[in-house]
Amino acid sequence: MITVKEIQELKKDFELLNIENITVKFGGLKAVDSFSLELKHREIVGLIGPNGAGKTTVFNTITGVYKPDSGRIYFEGRPINHLSLTQRNNIGIARTFQNIRLFSSLTVFDNIRIALNNKVNYSLFQVFINSNDFKTQEEKINDKTREFLEIFELYDYKDRIASSLPYGKQRRLEIARALATEPKLLLLDEPAAGMNEKETGELMELIKWLMVNFDISIILIEHDIKFVMNLCPRIIVLDYGRIIAEGKPEEIRNNKKVIEAYLGE
Amino acid sequence: MIFFENILVNIGIMIILATSLNLIVGITGILSLGHYAFFGIGAYSSILLTFYLHSMQIINYIPSFVLFFLVIIFGGIIAGFFSYIISYPVLKLKGDYLAVATLGFNEIFKSLMENIDFFGGAKGYSLYTKLGNTEPYFKTNLIWVYIFVVLTIFIIVRIMKSNYGRVLLAIRDDEIASESVGINIAKYKTLSFVIGSVMAGFAGVLFVMYDRFYATPKDFSFLEGISVLLMVVFGGLGSITGSVIGAITLTLILQLIKIIPFLSRHQILFYSFLLILMMILKPQGLFGRLDTTQNFINKIFKKIDRKEI
Amino acid sequence: MTEQLFNALSLGFTYSLISLGYSMVYGIINLINFAHGEFFMLGAYAGVISLIIGIPWYISFFISIIVGAFVSTFVEVIGYRPLREKNSGRLTALITAISFSLFFQNFIFLFPGADLIGLGNRNPMHGAVITVGDFKIPLIKFFIFVVTIFLLILLILIVYRTKIGKAMRAVAFSKDISSLMGINPNFVISFTFALGGGLAGAAGFLEALDKNQVYNFMGVIPGLKAFIAAVVGGIGSISGAVAGGILIGFLETISVVIGLSFIKDVISFVLLILILILKPSGLFLKTQREKV
Ligand SMILES: Nc1ncnc2c1ncn2[C@@H]1O[C@H](COP(=O)(O)OP(=O)(O)O)[C@@H](O)[C@H]1O
Ligand SMILES: [Mg+2]
């Protein structure tokens, strides 16, 4: 026999991410209120809701920027509440930021190389004596960086300072940087914001391509409803920190609460 | 001749201090105002160790250059040790708060030296007197200074050529983004802070063992350290070439000032006036981020590499 | 005992008056204005010089305040504002602040003999003592007490009861939003500097009367300690600055009373480092999370 409790625990093990009832408060304001989410391997979920609904705060809590006031987060069955931002990236959670946070004074090439920082294991001493090990590892990093830049069609910009790129390219670079850390879960916070129609289309194709070619799950926050509906078979709607609807795109489209929340904006 | 040697030694010590402070402030973005404390720790440790070595008679058996090398390394290690301890609380802080905490640390260091008799109190520790009004068996000369100048620059340039350097720049640019790509920022900040402080410790030994042979708390106050910050800012934060040129230029200007009586009486006034002008007119410094030292050393390495093939 | 209490309080109040300027300026532009201690020093000089040339003390006091306010605003307009407009970063602003501080300290040396000026019998309160019951308290300590409370009430009225005070709070909350509402942030910032500088000038005058002398480095240590008081109390908060000042005043007086006078100047730094590590938002403010 297997108990219900055991089944629930088993589920956690087979799911990638499991959020149980997290609440995040800022002073008196509950930015996120009893938010729960289960995410399977290779699944893409859309997270929408009016401005200030708490979407970014959910990302900040998953990545460890904020600790929830209550509730638990599991990643591949392991509780991760106590892990830092860095540790959560190391176990496979990567993200982009709503207001792009690139290494703005560094080149496009270095932005990616930095994301590969955990791939090297040479010591400072090896750096000083310019050892062969150091050189081969650096070569590897450079090759890998080139590869990423080519996938994201940023190779031609490799020597440009990140902050000098056009907005759409900066967003792409930020996604590339997140992916370079080889995550299992990728959190995209309004990746199409500030892009023109052509760039948005390209980004959509890119995300589809990623879903096929990388072994990752994605949570996508986006204001462009068409964009989300096109990409995500499952959508969660947040308002005042609470989930007000969850389901397939067509269900969401016709949900009364959702329409009210957006009209009220 | 002595006059020129003095100036060159001064310049060399300032280069070590400025480039190492640049590693901490300009490259890693840690706004430390306590660099001179580590300079002082290096100085005090070296004269204490030297006195001890003399009283042990060890000097009769070991060549002086070996001993002096040990003394310099010792000064660096002690400075590094304290910086490691300090880094634990201080590096948790951000920006201005960190600046004030490091300043506070520097003042605490100074006050401890003033109040502990073992270190000579406010009037300082004179090795020269302790040794019976003689110079120690070994001392700083031009060669020692420039060996350590080259070593310091070499180490920083090599760091910048590796993952370590890239990560430090990333931390300077954006700590949260750095963490989000898996960088253990505490580890790298500590590394940068400790390496920079070890170098300041070396500089402290070289400084005190040249012709002074005594150290007073006042030599290592935060105010004295402002001139090094000025050199770093003057050359451009993050630029190694800038720090070197900043150190040379400002040390020379200071020497020049000493010749002109009016300016020599009002050195700091002049200094601070320059700094205000500089900040208002060209806050990014002389060199900004352009870095020729780095390119130069890397070119040499490339040449060596090619020969291997 | 009572005398020590008054010592602690008057010392604490002096720190508080300086601390307020640090706190207000940090609250509004996030800058540690290292030059602030110099407004205290220059205010003290102005007051002492006018006393020496025979101006009545209440006018001299006013002159101290005006000079403090003027120099403070001058530094903001000449030094900090261009940097803000160029967006040149924290370190640059911090270095500029330190440079101004050094500049003013050493500027005094241009006038031979000015680096230490004694007040002698020009001090209207020199040696005067008031007797309350059995206690004898130097008049100046009492004066510091009364004047500080008066100035604090005045400050609170300005910040909470006037239009410009409301504008100050608005700009501290968000520069962008307040400019949308038609407030000129630069004007409000300058006003804040004037207010802080004026309080520092007043504190300088009181200190000069208390110590019966002025010297060019007199702003350094009180300046640093007042900054620490601001941080300890929670930077940006008026009551925090006052509480922090009084706390440091007491700690120092106690360390002298128990015979540990050598830790007097260090204890505030130790306190600072402890507070920064344990509760960086200060003792009296709620912890806030950085918005990402
Ligand atoms: N660090 C913070 N401090 C205080 N309030 C915050 C902070 N971060 C977010 N908030 C508040 O939480 C609410 C949700 O914000 P956010 O998650 O950014 O919304 P969304 O991304 O859905 O637009 C908003 O009211 C916002 O002002
Ligand atoms: Mg958001």
Side-chain angles (χ1 to χ4, degrees):
Chain A
M1 274 303 284
I2 184 163
T3 64
V4 176
K5 200 168 165 245
E6 279 174 315
I7 291 180
Q8 278 172 350
E9 268 163 21
L10 209 65
K11 230 172 108 194
K12 264 183 220 154
D13 285 339
F14 283 97
E15 276 161 1
L16 182 68
L17 179 74
N18 205 308
I19 302 177
E20 285 178 358
N21 277 318
I22 54 166
T23 297
V24 183
K25 290 184 210 156
F26 295 113
L29 173 86
K30 275 189 184 168
V32 174
D33 191 356
S34 313
F35 179 89
S36 297
L37 168 73
E38 289 161 8
L39 190 72
K40 292 189 209 38
H41 287 281
R42 292 176 156 262
E43 191 185 357
I44 176 166
V45 170
L47 185 58
I48 63 172
N51 262 326
K55 305 176 299 289
T56 300
T57 307
V58 168
F59 274 17
N60 282 335
T61 317
I62 298 175
T63 49
V65 178
Y66 303 148
K67 297 273 186 284
D69 293 287
S70 65
R72 320 207 103 252
I73 304 175
Y74 299 86
F75 190 72
E76 301 188 300
R78 273 175 59 195
I80 58 166
N81 278 45
H82 59 286
L83 296 186
S84 69
L85 203 55
T86 307
Q87 288 167 324
R88 292 188 204 195
N89 177 262
N90 291 338
I91 61 170
I93 302 175
R95 73 175 291 181
T96 65
F97 296 87
Q98 182 175 344
N99 4 347
I100 307 177
R101 300 184 84 132
L102 289 167
F103 303 122
S104 53
S105 74
L106 306 181
T107 62
V108 169
F109 200 72
D110 275 344
N111 265 271
I112 302 294
R113 287 206 288 182
I114 288 161
L116 297 168
N117 72 86
N118 282 318
K119 303 281 177 301
V120 302
N121 59 6
Y122 49 71
S123 67
L124 262 183
F125 184 71
Q126 284 174 307
V127 175
F128 297 152
I129 62 166
N130 203 26
S131 78
N132 283 328
D133 195 19
F134 163 69
K135 280 184 279 189
T136 42
Q137 287 194 38
E138 280 292 285
E139 262 319 300
K140 248 196 231 152
I141 295 284
N142 293 345
D143 289 343
K144 209 155 188 168
T145 303
R146 263 175 231 124
E147 219 174 276
F148 268 103
L149 289 177
E150 267 155 17
I151 293 177
F152 284 83
E153 289 164 10
L154 288 166
Y155 192 72
D156 294 340
Y157 299 87
K158 73 176 171 49
D159 295 322
R160 290 268 294 265
I161 298 297
S163 57
S164 77
L165 289 183
Y167 205 71
K169 297 272 186 292
Q170 291 195 23
R171 289 248 177 238
R172 269 180 110 85
L173 177 58
E174 213 191 11
I175 300 174
R177 185 182 70 181
L179 272 176
T181 65
E182 295 184 356
K184 295 167 188 151
L185 171 62
L186 178 62
L187 309 175
L188 299 174
D189 199 344
E190 306 198 12
M195 285 189 172
N196 59 34
E197 215 160 299
K198 180 168 163 277
E199 287 172 323
T200 310
E202 286 167 1
L203 179 67
M204 189 146 35
E205 291 314 309
L206 181 73
I207 295 177
K208 283 180 182 162
W209 188 88
L210 292 179
M211 291 299 295
V212 176
N213 290 282
F214 283 74
D215 184 19
I216 53 168
S217 308
I218 295 180
I219 306 179
L220 173 70
I221 296 177
E222 187 47 67
H223 268 298
D224 183 341
I225 299 286
K226 259 196 293 180
F227 189 89
V228 183
M229 300 235 167
N230 197 319
L231 277 172
C232 307
R234 178 155 74 107
I235 295 172
I236 295 172
V237 189
L238 216 56
D239 193 22
Y240 291 107
R242 290 180 155 274
I243 297 181
I244 55 166
E246 179 167 1
K248 299 200 181 77
E250 49 277 18
E251 292 166 8
I252 298 298
R253 195 170 313 163
N254 301 318
N255 186 304
K256 238 176 146 178
K257 275 194 198 158
V258 177
I259 295 168
E260 271 169 23
Y262 272 91
L263 285 179
E265 196 180 1
Chain B
M1 233 16 241
I2 291 287
F3 177 71
F4 286 110
E5 192 183 304
N6 270 336
I7 293 180
L8 286 177
V9 165
N10 251 332
I11 287 177
I13 288 168
M14 286 303 156
I15 291 177
I16 300 177
L17 282 171
T19 47
S20 59
L21 184 62
N22 198 0
L23 175 68
I24 298 173
V25 177
I27 291 171
T28 320
I30 302 169
L31 290 186
S32 171
L33 297 180
H35 206 49
Y36 251 43
F38 302 108
F39 183 50
I41 290 174
Y44 270 95
S45 342
S46 66
I47 50 175
L48 286 167
L49 179 66
T50 305
F51 177 66
Y52 188 62
L53 289 174
H54 279 74
S55 57
M56 284 210 322
Q57 302 296 323
I58 221 171
I59 53 170
N60 300 330
Y61 309 104
I62 304 180
S64 66
F65 72 91
V66 176
L67 280 178
F68 191 45
F69 184 73
L70 286 179
V71 169
I72 299 177
I73 298 298
F74 178 76
I77 288 176
I78 299 293
F81 171 76
F82 280 102
S83 74
Y84 183 71
I85 292 179
I86 296 303
S87 75
Y88 180 72
V90 163
L91 293 185
K92 280 188 183 156
L93 306 171
K94 297 232 157 76
D96 295 355
Y97 289 101
L98 188 143
V100 178
T102 47
L103 189 163
F105 166 70
N106 204 331
E107 292 306 294
I108 291 172
F109 166 75
K110 188 180 140 221
S111 178
L112 283 178
M113 293 300 111
E114 273 169 1
N115 287 296
I116 298 175
D117 291 338
F118 180 71
F119 298 113
K123 62 181 194 319
Y125 190 102
S126 173
L127 180 66
Y128 189 76
T129 325
K130 285 246 176 185
L131 294 178
N133 292 335
T134 52
E135 290 195 350
Y137 180 50
F138 43 75
K139 55 186 239 181
T140 309
N141 58 30
L142 259 185
I143 298 169
W144 279 114
V145 172
Y146 281 89
I147 287 176
F148 276 86
V149 168
V150 171
L151 187 73
T152 306
I153 295 177
F154 173 80
I155 287 178
I156 297 178
V157 169
R158 288 306 293 165
I159 288 177
M160 297 320 291
K161 184 65 183 157
S162 74
N163 183 54
Y164 293 92
R166 292 194 292 269
V167 166
L168 297 183
L169 292 172
I171 293 172
R172 176 192 71 186
D173 271 9
D174 191 327
E175 294 198 359
I176 291 201
S178 302
E179 289 180 292
S180 85
V181 296
I183 294 169
N184 180 348
I185 58 173
K187 175 182 132 187
Y188 285 98
K189 277 175 151 182
T190 308
L191 188 80
S192 158
F193 191 63
V194 172
I195 292 180
S197 303
V198 168
M199 290 165 172
F202 292 154
V205 182
L206 295 166
F207 166 73
V208 83
M209 294 294 290
Y210 176 56
D211 57 3
R212 301 168 50 96
F213 313 116
Y214 73 90
T216 67
K218 247 183 73 191
D219 296 331
F220 307 108
S221 74
F222 141 79
L223 274 180
E224 293 290 320
I226 290 291
S227 54
V228 179
L229 194 60
L230 173 56
M231 290 165 191
V232 173
V233 172
F234 181 77
L237 284 165
S239 160
I240 301 161
T241 319
S243 293
V244 174
I245 292 180
I248 297 172
T249 321
L250 290 172
T251 315
L252 287 179
I253 288 181
L254 209 66
Q255 290 293 339
L256 213 69
I257 284 176
K258 280 189 185 141
I259 303 171
I260 306 164
F262 174 77
L263 289 181
S264 121
R265 245 180 294 129
H266 302 289
Q267 246 177 57
I268 301 182
L269 185 71
F270 183 68
Y271 240 57
S272 51
F273 183 69
L274 269 187
L275 203 47
I276 293 171
L277 273 189
M278 174 94 206
M279 289 291 101
I280 294 173
L281 301 178
K282 205 165 178 340
Q284 72 277 27
L286 229 45
F287 284 83
R289 292 219 163 71
L290 187 127
D291 222 314
T292 32
T293 313
Q294 218 161 314
N295 291 339
F296 176 71
I297 294 197
N298 292 330
K299 252 184 218 148
I300 295 177
F301 260 118
K302 271 197 191 123
K303 269 186 198 147
I304 299 170
D305 287 352
R306 258 184 237 125
K307 268 182 208 150
E308 277 174 11
I309 305 163
Chain C
M1 209 41 217
T2 316
E3 199 195 317
Q4 295 298 356
L5 188 73
F6 260 89
N7 273 340
L9 269 181
S10 63
L11 186 63
F13 274 181
T14 310
Y15 290 150
S16 299
L17 284 178
I18 312 173
S19 171
L20 284 164
Y22 269 118
S23 199
M24 290 192 294
V25 165
Y26 195 93
I28 210 159
I29 56 171
N30 276 312
L31 165 77
I32 299 180
N33 179 13
F34 265 107
H36 192 69
E38 278 21 274
F39 309 153
F40 164 84
M41 179 270 289
L42 291 169
Y45 264 86
V48 163
I49 290 168
S50 32
L51 281 177
I52 287 176
I53 60 176
I55 295 175
W57 69 267
Y58 43 89
I59 297 180
S60 303
F61 185 32
F62 196 66
I63 290 176
S64 285
I65 295 178
I66 296 295
V67 167
F70 175 78
V71 182
S72 175
T73 316
F74 174 80
V75 170
E76 144 64 10
V77 173
I78 296 290
Y80 304 150
R81 186 181 295 174
L83 293 181
R84 257 197 326 275
E85 277 158 8
K86 272 188 241 166
N87 237 333
S88 36
R90 291 192 145 204
L91 187 66
T92 325
L94 199 67
I95 291 169
T96 310
I98 295 173
S99 315
F100 269 111
S101 176
L102 292 174
F103 181 81
F104 288 127
Q105 286 161 22
N106 290 281
F107 179 71
I108 306 283
F109 282 126
L110 285 179
F111 309 94
D115 53 326
L116 176 73
I117 302 178
L119 252 180
N121 55 7
R122 290 291 189 176
N123 185 344
M125 296 182 199
H126 191 50
V129 167
I130 54 169
T131 332
V132 187
D134 300 342
F135 310 118
K136 280 194 175 130
I137 298 161
L139 177 62
I140 177 64
K141 305 277 181 199
F142 188 72
F143 186 64
I144 291 177
F145 191 79
V146 174
V147 167
T148 306
I149 289 183
F150 172 74
L151 289 175
L152 281 178
I153 293 173
L154 198 65
L155 178 72
I156 289 172
L157 287 179
I158 291 176
V159 173
Y160 290 98
R161 288 277 186 279
T162 64
K163 225 171 166 180
I164 183 83
K166 211 182 259 176
M168 277 170 67
R169 284 179 288 140
V171 175
F173 181 73
S174 161
K175 257 188 230 85
D176 294 338
I177 295 178
S178 44
S179 26
L180 284 180
M181 299 189 311
I183 298 172
N184 173 0
N186 275 340
F187 175 74
V188 176
I189 292 169
S190 301
F191 182 79
T192 309
F193 270 86
L195 213 54
L199 290 173
F205 184 78
L206 297 172
E207 173 84 357
L209 293 193
D210 189 14
K211 299 282 150 61
N212 212 31
Q213 63 173 28
V214 286
Y215 60 102
N216 60 333
F217 292 123
M218 70 186 277
V220 181
I221 296 290
L224 283 174
K225 286 178 182 164
F227 170 73
I228 295 173
V231 174
V232 167
I235 205 142
S237 135
I238 291 182
S239 48
V242 176
I246 294 175
L247 177 66
I248 292 184
F250 269 88
L251 279 179
E252 287 186 4
T253 310
I254 290 170
S255 58
V256 173
V257 171
I258 62 176
L260 291 174
S261 56
F262 76 91
I263 64 166
K264 186 179 146 229
D265 284 342
V266 177
I267 194 160
S268 41
F269 284 109
V270 175
L271 180 70
L272 171 78
I273 292 177
L274 282 179
I275 292 282
L276 286 179
I277 292 158
L278 301 177
K279 197 163 182 305
S281 57
L283 282 180
F284 309 104
L285 276 193
K286 278 228 182 97
T287 313
Q288 281 186 344
R289 311 200 226 197
E290 185 192 354
K291 214 162 180 170
V292 175

